[in-house]
Amino acid sequence: MPAACSDPDGARRQLEKILASPGFHRNERMSRFLRFVAERHLAGNGDQLKESVIAVEVFGRKAGYDPTQDSIVRTEAGRLRARLAEYYLGEGKGDAMVIELPKGGYTPAFRSKEPERLTASPAKNISRRVWLIALIVSFAIAMAALAWRIHYEGEPIAIAVLPLENLGHDPASDYFADGLTDELIRNLSLIEGLSPRSRTSSFAFKGKPRNVRQVGKDLDTDYIVEGSVLRIDRHLRVEAQLVRVRDDFPLWSGRYDRAVTDVFAIQDEISRGIVNSLRLKLGRGRRRYETSAEASDLYLQARAMGIQEGLSGEMQSVDKFEEAVAKDPAFAPAYAGLAAARAARSGTLEFDSPDELAQMQAAGEKAIELDPLLAEAHGALGMVYARKAEWDLSEKSFRRALELDPNDSVIYGNFALSLLFPLGRIQEAVRQLRIGVKNDPLAPRVRFILANALIAAGKFDEAAADCETLPADFPEKNVWMGRARLGQGRVQEAIQMFADDGSPYLGYAYGRAGRREDAERLAAGTTDPYS
């Protein structure tokens, strides 16, 4: 077993530097693995780093995990060793400390780099240098090949599904095209090797002229899926194509003339066409759902309400989801949507009740009973357990949700707000929210939560930059920008922002500016909004 680290503080700084690097920042599961083994060892618990413990604590496996039946820990350990080697060949080549995961175990080693000294004769030194150069070049070539494999085989492919066009041009039928688009995004999220952008960013382009290369740039994607829907009575025509962003080249296209009841089969076939075109393996895919036309129609209407009307629409969609499950009590996605819709409204005063929480939990548990691969159901249960202060269960639910769908910015936001913030894990909240922002770059909600976390972390410049990206009419934008300006020491700007917004932070800002009389006058003329 590697010896105890002689410089624990330096090791922790080095760990944070590695986790912030691009190769780890984009890979939440590998970062979680490295953090777990490093922090356990630094805490003096390296002897507990067994394969079974890591499988349960890091990768969410159940108690009784059998390593002979599931090699995930060994597989991910190999990838972690390769990624650390890649880091130290590139960004970390000048670092003073090296973190390694020696083969044959899971306890990390921490060592300081020491400069080599050449003490042999000049002739031998020259020979030694030549040998070292040859060795370094050979190693660099090998690692470059490994890095290529990691990048092209390990990193998920960024893809965006643009809103399907409603060719019927009847606004009353928009819900069908929007709901089908949302479902296609969810379907692709379950395919290993794909990283679809979340729906908020995709729907930012609804009804707008599209330039594939510009959309790809705005969403930071390699591929775009676009298409159309025409629904006439019980008949459905769906056309879709996969376009490569860099040269606007269509790699695949499909056309489906079916009955409305085949809508989920069409989603599966589109997913398969995309997977085959990108030479991926379908892997763990969602099972094909079969339901009635009435239930699927109500379900798509409910989904579209959240897309078209935002949070208020999602809150109002509870009734539609309830109707869908009443039509088909075995329709798992409708239960998952119902749990998520109840979660959306559970934070309001009107619905903040034990009964609402119980119904939310019941819907989430029913969805998972019918289909354990529904990420949003696990995310909803994470919120339920957090409200009950059952933190371990909450974290396991959120981790499972993100393992199933690592692209859903809503889950990242709820994970931060429901669990990481209350437990004071602000730095981790920042890391999780940055992943959410990357997956949903045009979604203001997750950026707003990230700004909150950055302020709590004392990163005021980053918070201000994040606030600047929010829409001008975003609620409380001025409040959070004002708080960031206070942290930056730009007190007068903060005062103006708080005054424009009527914020209760105005009195505090007056105090920071030394304007005692203004603060007292404000206190005398207003009531405490938090009393």
Side-chain angles (χ1 to χ4, degrees):
M1 178 182 295
C5 179
S6 60
D7 181 11
D9 290 338
R12 290 187 176 91
R13 288 193 296 271
Q14 180 65 23
L15 174 64
E16 294 300 331
K17 184 176 182 182
I18 292 173
L19 293 176
S21 68
F24 282 85
H25 177 63
R26 294 193 299 266
N27 194 318
E28 194 271 339
R29 185 160 72 170
M30 190 172 293
S31 296
R32 189 167 70 242
F33 189 2
L34 178 58
R35 178 178 292 282
F36 180 80
V37 296
E39 290 184 344
R40 281 292 177 96
H41 184 39
L42 291 171
N45 298 319
D47 58 333
Q48 299 176 9
L49 292 172
K50 309 296 184 183
E51 188 170 355
S52 57
V53 173
I54 295 171
V56 173
E57 296 293 332
V58 177
F59 299 110
R61 296 306 192 255
K62 293 181 180 179
Y65 163 82
D66 184 356
T68 64
Q69 301 297 319
D70 184 351
S71 62
I72 186 169
V73 179
R74 297 189 296 278
T75 300
E76 291 301 314
R79 294 185 65 214
L80 177 57
R81 292 184 186 103
R83 189 59 60 89
L84 284 169
E86 181 187 1
Y87 169 79
Y88 281 110
L89 277 175
E91 182 177 345
K93 63 184 178 182
D95 291 1
M97 177 174 283
V98 175
I99 300 179
E100 299 171 317
L101 190 67
K103 288 187 176 181
Y106 304 107
T107 305
F110 305 86
R111 62 177 177 84
S112 300
K113 284 185 181 178
E114 294 183 2
E116 294 190 17
R117 292 180 175 84
L118 298 177
T119 58
S121 64
K124 288 184 178 180
N125 280 344
I126 292 172
S127 175
R128 190 176 185 182
R129 287 193 187 101
V130 171
W131 179 81
L132 282 172
I133 290 170
L135 180 63
I136 291 170
V137 170
S138 299
F139 185 65
I141 291 172
M143 291 311 300
L146 179 61
W148 185 91
R149 277 188 59 196
I150 289 172
H151 179 75
Y152 289 99
E153 296 182 10
E155 291 296 331
I157 296 170
I159 189 170
V161 182
L162 296 185
L164 299 175
E165 183 182 359
N166 173 22
L167 293 183
H169 301 297
D170 178 4
S173 298
D174 268 358
Y175 77 88
F176 194 88
D178 290 349
L180 184 55
T181 304
D182 189 38
E183 281 300 285
L184 187 53
I185 294 171
R186 293 174 189 278
N187 231 19
L188 295 178
S189 294
L190 286 177
I191 297 173
E192 191 167 353
L194 284 183
S195 176
R197 294 297 176 249
S198 295
R199 74 182 190 189
T200 310
S201 292
S202 291
F203 275 90
F205 296 92
K206 182 178 179 179
K208 297 179 180 178
R210 298 171 183 173
N211 177 294
V212 167
R213 294 188 184 184
Q214 186 59 48
V215 171
K217 181 180 178 182
D218 292 343
L219 296 181
D220 190 22
T221 59
D222 304 309
Y223 299 92
I224 297 291
V225 179
E226 57 184 4
S228 60
V229 179
L230 178 62
R231 180 181 178 181
I232 302 175
D233 296 328
R234 296 287 181 175
H235 299 286
L236 186 64
R237 172 176 291 175
V238 179
E239 295 185 1
Q241 67 172 351
L242 174 69
V243 182
R244 188 168 58 204
V245 169
R246 72 170 185 264
D247 53 7
D248 203 0
F249 181 76
L251 294 176
W252 167 87
S253 63
R255 175 173 170 173
Y256 309 90
D257 289 288
R258 306 282 178 80
V260 169
T261 51
D262 288 335
V263 62
F264 295 110
I266 293 173
Q267 293 172 34
D268 286 339
E269 292 186 35
I270 292 174
S271 299
R272 289 179 183 276
I274 292 168
V275 164
N276 292 336
S277 298
L278 297 178
R279 299 182 180 180
L280 299 171
K281 293 181 180 179
L282 194 58
R284 55 169 177 81
R286 184 178 59 185
R287 67 180 176 86
R288 180 175 292 186
Y289 301 113
E290 295 180 358
T291 190
S292 66
E294 293 83 0
S296 65
D297 202 60
L298 289 164
Y299 173 75
L300 293 178
Q301 288 183 50
R303 288 290 185 200
M305 291 173 74
I307 294 167
Q308 296 169 355
E309 302 173 43
L311 181 60
S312 62
E314 193 169 359
M315 292 166 60
Q316 295 167 19
S317 68
V318 168
D319 291 342
K320 288 292 182 186
F321 280 122
E322 291 276 20
E323 291 181 50
V325 298
K327 291 287 185 183
D328 183 357
F331 190 19
Y335 282 106
L338 175 59
R342 287 194 178 280
R345 75 182 193 180
S346 64
T348 63
L349 290 175
E350 182 181 357
F351 296 102
D352 185 14
S353 67
D355 182 60
E356 182 74 18
L357 200 64
Q359 292 184 68
M360 180 174 152
Q361 182 169 355
E365 289 175 345
K366 183 64 175 178
I368 292 170
E369 175 190 331
L370 294 168
D371 185 350
L373 298 182
L374 289 168
E376 65 178 342
H378 288 279
L381 288 182
M383 295 179 68
V384 169
Y385 294 133
R387 302 273 175 84
K388 296 180 176 181
E390 296 176 359
W391 304 114
D392 289 343
L393 289 174
S394 175
E395 181 155 7
K396 286 181 180 178
S397 293
F398 278 124
R399 296 284 185 194
R400 181 59 174 154
L402 292 174
E403 183 181 2
L404 290 170
D405 187 355
N407 308 296
D408 191 335
S409 66
V410 173
I411 297 175
Y412 287 103
N414 290 338
F415 184 23
L417 287 174
S418 300
L419 185 135
L420 299 177
F421 280 16
L423 296 184
R425 293 159 59 178
I426 304 302
Q427 297 296 340
E428 187 175 356
V430 170
R431 287 194 299 274
Q432 295 290 345
L433 290 165
R434 279 178 171 153
I435 299 172
V437 166
K438 179 175 176 59
N439 294 333
D440 209 352
L442 303 183
R445 178 179 180 270
V446 69
R447 283 195 174 274
F448 176 68
I449 301 172
L450 175 58
N452 188 345
L454 290 168
I455 290 171
K459 299 179 179 182
F460 302 111
D461 292 343
E462 294 177 53
D466 203 66
C467 286
E468 287 173 350
T469 67
L470 294 172
D473 60 349
F474 189 83
E476 297 191 345
K477 175 180 178 177
N478 278 352
V479 174
W480 293 99
M481 178 63 88
R483 291 190 62 193
R485 293 297 188 223
L486 277 179
Q488 291 175 308
R490 297 162 65 171
V491 180
Q492 294 304 322
E493 291 180 49
I495 288 174
Q496 185 61 53
M497 290 174 179
F498 294 147
D500 291 344
D501 207 68
S503 168
Y505 285 102
L506 180 58
Y508 172 68
Y510 280 148
R512 283 281 303 273
R515 294 167 57 175
R516 179 172 178 174
E517 292 183 2
D518 289 329
E520 291 176 346
R521 186 161 46 249
L522 184 67
T526 60
T527 59
D528 182 0
Y530 296 109
S531 61

